[in-house]
Amino acid sequence: NAGVIQTPRHKVTGKGQEATLWCEPISGHSAVFWYRQTIVQGLEFLTYFRNQAPIDDSGMPKERFSAQMPNQSHSTLKIQSTQPQDSAVYLCASNWGNQDTQYFGPGTRLLVL
Amino acid sequence: GEKVEQHESTLSVREGDSAVINCTYTDTASSYFPWYKQEAGKSLHFVIDIRSNVDRKQSQRLIVLLDKKAKRFSLHITATQPEDSAIYFCAASMATGNYKYVFGAGTRLKVIA
């Protein structure tokens, strides 16, 4: 079991550019969660999917951020027109979709210059 | 919405002593409380959890206590070892179909040899 896979592990982008982050959940898991970690804000929930359907995107900034889960094996988080304040570690987690342990990936460290 | 407060931002203990990290939550609907460990430069690693139908759970040197009346839960690490040094995060999750985590701010534990 490879665990949750996130790519890329590091991304540097210029202000105003687009960034797409990828997450491959553990095989068989039906729920995918996205969180963001910064020194100032800590760990913040962004959005989550269950059986590929969006369940809660209450943590997503209303503009520029979007997430999709086109199939069981991957989810993407897209940030348009990136800003320096988007710099963070973006964490993806998965589980079987019920009230259970979430397993976290290694994260994508995004730096917006 | 739910808020989780983690009371100790840093904690130093001598090797072999016990460490206690305390968290409080606000929403009585929260019923699942996991703890994660984050070592420097790494992602979140699940360590132990507790559900609201019990008030104590132990896994080797880790004990979690839950006081639903006070909306408080705590992680006790007994016989601490240098490898226990890390940042520990508590979290709360509800059992209403939305299983996102709300995290505390983290406690940096240092075990002094």
Side-chain angles (χ1 to χ4, degrees):
Chain A
N1 190 333
V4 175
I5 298 171
Q6 289 190 249
T7 54
R9 295 291 307 278
H10 302 272
K11 185 172 182 65
V12 180
T13 186
K15 181 179 173 182
Q17 300 297 303
E18 182 178 288
T20 299
L21 313 180
W22 292 69
C23 171
E24 181 179 329
I26 292 171
S27 179
H29 282 186
S30 58
V32 168
F33 301 80
W34 286 95
Y35 296 87
R36 175 168 67 178
Q37 185 175 27
T38 61
I39 298 294
V40 173
Q41 299 294 332
L43 282 157
E44 302 175 283
F45 166 78
L46 294 176
T47 187
Y48 98 91
F49 298 84
R50 188 164 64 235
N51 296 320
Q52 299 170 236
I55 302 299
D56 183 345
D57 66 355
S58 59
M60 293 276 273
K62 294 307 174 198
E63 298 178 0
R64 304 188 295 104
F65 282 64
S66 62
Q68 292 185 322
M69 190 163 184
N71 56 56
Q72 284 181 307
S73 62
H74 88 274
S75 175
T76 57
L77 179 68
K78 184 180 291 187
I79 309 171
Q80 294 178 310
S81 185
T82 53
Q83 303 297 309
Q85 61 265 31
D86 299 332
S87 297
V89 176
Y90 289 82
L91 294 166
C92 176
S94 70
N95 70 6
W96 285 275
N98 55 10
Q99 188 191 42
D100 209 334
T101 305
Q102 294 177 24
Y103 296 89
F104 283 80
T108 294
R109 184 175 295 275
L110 175 67
L111 177 61
V112 182
L113 301 176
Chain B
E2 171 71 286
K3 288 182 173 49
V4 176
E5 185 175 354
Q6 197 161 344
H7 295 264
E8 297 82 9
S9 57
T10 60
L11 186 59
S12 289
V13 298
R14 294 212 173 271
E15 183 178 359
D17 289 349
S18 292
V20 182
I21 303 171
N22 295 283
C23 291
T24 52
Y25 61 99
T26 58
D27 196 328
T28 53
S30 289
S31 58
Y32 177 67
F33 306 93
W35 288 85
Y36 285 83
K37 177 182 181 181
Q38 187 173 40
E39 295 175 281
K42 297 190 177 180
S43 189
L44 299 175
H45 177 74
F46 170 79
V47 291
I48 193 170
D49 59 11
I50 191 166
R51 289 178 169 79
S52 59
N53 59 342
V54 298
D55 55 19
R56 186 182 190 278
K57 181 174 180 179
Q58 181 165 1
S59 174
Q60 299 182 318
R61 295 186 296 109
L62 303 178
I63 301 169
V64 181
L65 302 178
L66 173 63
D67 181 344
K68 291 191 293 291
K69 186 177 285 188
K71 295 203 283 289
R72 180 173 59 224
F73 58 114
S74 57
L75 173 66
H76 299 244
I77 307 173
T78 62
T80 52
Q81 301 168 359
E83 54 264 37
D84 294 328
S85 296
I87 301 175
Y88 290 81
F89 291 94
C90 61
S93 174
M94 286 188 273
T96 58
N98 186 332
Y99 303 120
K100 68 183 180 186
Y101 288 171
V102 176
F103 283 95
T107 297
R108 185 179 295 275
L109 173 66
K110 184 173 182 179
V111 179
I112 305 162

